[in-house]
Amino acid sequence: FGLPLEYKTQLHEQIFQISFNSQGMLPFSEVYNMPIYLRTFYFKRLVKHFKEQQAEYDKIKSGGPRR
């Protein structure tokens, strides 16, 4: 019994990304022990943040309207 290797890899990638990008606010152990629904929320929010940041960068790079 145990988790499949692929799931473990995805789990630890999520934990790493959340911990690393929280700039020390969420240590590895706290994210690891976090309920799945919260960890999923924070990971999705992190993805959304970086997509928005990339869109802004692309807009500026293409010479689009600036704020």
Side-chain angles (χ1 to χ4, degrees):
F1 180 79
L3 297 172
L5 182 59
E6 184 178 313
Y7 179 79
K8 289 180 183 179
T9 303
Q10 291 173 355
L11 169 67
H12 283 273
E13 181 65 28
Q14 274 190 354
I15 293 169
F16 171 78
Q17 292 298 334
I18 294 169
S19 296
F20 182 79
N21 289 292
S22 72
Q23 301 174 351
M25 291 177 52
L26 295 169
F28 180 91
S29 59
E30 191 170 326
V31 178
Y32 184 84
N33 293 311
M34 187 179 284
I36 294 170
Y37 76 94
L38 279 177
R39 189 175 62 238
T40 302
F41 168 79
Y42 285 118
F43 187 74
K44 286 181 179 181
R45 185 60 185 95
L46 187 62
V47 169
K48 180 181 175 188
H49 167 74
F50 282 112
K51 284 182 179 180
E52 290 170 350
Q53 193 175 44
Q54 184 66 44
E56 282 294 318
Y57 173 79
D58 292 343
K59 188 188 308 181
I60 291 170
K61 187 177 175 185
S62 68
R66 297 182 185 187
R67 291 184 185 184

